[in-house]
Structures are given as structure tokens and as C-alpha cells.
Amino acid sequence: QKEVEQNSGPLSVPEGAIASLNCTYSDRVSQSFFWYRQYSGKSPELIMSIYSNGDKEDGRFTAQLNKASQYVSLLIRDSQPSDSATYLCAVNKNDMRFGAGTRLTVKP
Amino acid sequence: EAGVVQSPRYKIIEKKQPVAFWCNPISGHNTLYWYRQNLGQGPELLIRYENEEAVDDSQLPKDRFSAERLKGVDSTLKIQPAELGDSAVYLCASSLTTSGFQETQYFGPGTRLLVL
């Protein structure tokens, strides 16, 4: 079992829709959770961090954490073509472990 | 504020040749990370420095990879000799500290290595 698992996609949504990205992790004692966005040929950039159970909202982005289920998600509301990228889930205990990423395409 | 700087951005070498990558972290960031990212995969940690000390190098292939962070600022990652399977993007990241495991890591642009 991989430490951080994501659906590789591609996930395709129409412009204006909600994109839902999911991530599960194996180490129950993981302490902090991050979502990074990576455009093709570019380096990862941080979108959201979340440390406690529940929802955290930042603009069009909402991160959700459920430690009992070992599950993290990212919702993107009003998706835009510029949101088309690979979204990496990262989990930090002693060091950062990344998922393989989900490729999101937002179609105009 | 300047971000993480890496050079070179691209490198093409023949197998068995040596190669070196350089990273300058964000000013004031004590922790520096080297990652390797293969196509279609997430970054994988190679080594983590706290100031000049390598505190986690368990994933670094020590037979051919070496790294240093003299004076606790910029860092160099070296591969000698390079193999075909080393073709990847090498990412450097930095954070203020790792206390509480909540520190955000900021990534540099990466060095794209192609070994022929």
C-alpha cells in the first residue's frame, strides 16, 4: 500500500463546475496535510494546508480532513481553465510524502 | 522576496558522467530539501538539511549520490556516475524550520536532468 494515494485521473470538469480531488494516507499519526498545484513543466506551489479535522476554506478552494478515515480532499468551486494542472496531496509526519497527483482538466 | 533558486534548469549528459545541481534557499530558511520527481509521480525526498546538518538522508542512494550544505545556506547535490534511470526533475525546497511538522515547503523551479 502506498503511503499517499490519489486517483491519477485525468479528472475532467466543465468550467464553472466543482472539482473534487481525493487523497488517502496510510500512516495514522500523520500530523499535517497539504495540497500543491503543479502546472506542466513547473514546480509544485502550495494551495492549502490543513492540520485539524474539518473544513478549511480559502477563496474558491476548500480542504477537508478526516483523520479517522485517513482522508483528505480538495474542492475547487467555480472551476476555471486556469485550474487545469496536476494536484499533489502531501502528508507530513517526520518528512513530507507526496501522492502521485491527480491531473485536472477544466474545459471551457 | 526571492524564491528558491536552482541551477542549471536543464542538463543533458551521457551515462557515467558526473553532474551537479545547485540550490539557494529562501533567505532565513533553515531547512533545505532535495527531491527527485519522476514523470507522472510525486516528488520523493532524497535528503533534508537542518542548517548544515543532514538529518534525513535515508532515501539518498549513497553509492552514487552525495550532497553538501556548507555554511548552512546553499546546497549542492551531485551524482557520480549518472545512470539512465537518474533522468528526472531534481527539486530543491526550503522551509523556515521543521518544528511541529507544520512548516510550508517552498519549491524551486527544478533541474530537469536527461541522461543519454
Side-chain angles (χ1 to χ4, degrees), chain B residues 2-3 5 11-12 15 26-27 29-31 34 39-40 47 54 58 61 65 71 74-75 81 90 111:
Chain B
V5 179
K11 190 73 176 179
I12 301 175
K15 63 180 180 182
I26 293 173
S27 177
H29 281 196
N30 299 322
T31 308
W34 282 103
L39 190 65
I47 189 168
S58 58
F65 286 65
K71 300 181 182 179
D74 55 353
S75 176
Y90 291 83
T111 296

Side-chain angles (χ1 to χ4, degrees), chain B residues 3-5 21-34 47-57 60 65-78 92-98 106:
Chain B
V4 177
V5 179
F21 315 124
W22 177 81
C23 171
N24 188 265
I26 293 173
S27 177
H29 281 196
N30 299 322
T31 308
L32 183 146
Y33 313 78
W34 282 103
I47 189 168
R48 171 167 63 96
Y49 281 94
E50 295 285 349
N51 298 303
E52 66 274 10
E53 181 182 359
V55 295
D56 184 357
D57 63 354
L60 189 72
F65 286 65
S66 64
E68 61 182 13
R69 190 185 185 196
L70 301 176
K71 300 181 182 179
V73 181
D74 55 353
S75 176
T76 303
L77 178 68
K78 298 179 181 178
C92 179
S94 70
S95 65
L96 278 172
T97 70
T98 55
Y106 297 90

Side-chain angles (χ1 to χ4, degrees), chain A residues 2 31-32 34 36 38 40-46 49 51 88 92-101, chain B residues 9-10 35 37 40-45 48 56 59 91 100-110 112:
Chain A
K2 293 182 180 178
Q31 297 179 323
S32 48
F34 303 84
Y36 282 83
Q38 188 171 27
S40 181
K42 303 295 185 182
S43 60
E45 56 178 330
L46 181 73
S49 59
Y51 310 119
L88 299 166
N92 201 347
K93 189 187 72 170
N94 295 317
D95 56 57
M96 195 84 88
R97 302 289 180 176
F98 285 84
Chain B
R9 294 293 309 279
Y10 304 92
Y35 289 89
Q37 186 173 23
Q41 299 297 315
E44 296 176 308
L45 181 69
R48 171 167 63 96
D56 184 357
Q59 302 302 312
L91 293 163
F101 313 115
Q102 295 184 359
E103 290 294 335
T104 298
Q105 296 183 24
Y106 297 90
F107 285 85
R112 192 175 299 270

Side-chain angles (χ1 to χ4, degrees), chain A residues 12 25 27 41-42 45-46 65-66 69-70 75 83-84 86-87 93-94 102 105:
Chain A
S12 182
Y25 59 95
D27 193 333
K42 303 295 185 182
E45 56 178 330
L46 181 73
L65 174 61
N66 184 326
S69 300
Q70 295 174 237
L75 299 177
D83 294 327
S84 298
T86 295
Y87 289 80
K93 189 187 72 170
N94 295 317
T102 298
T105 301

Side-chain angles (χ1 to χ4, degrees), chain A residues 42-59:
Chain A
K42 303 295 185 182
S43 60
E45 56 178 330
L46 181 73
I47 299 175
M48 296 277 289
S49 59
I50 186 166
Y51 310 119
S52 54
N53 281 328
D55 295 359
K56 180 180 177 181
E57 187 174 319
D58 184 0

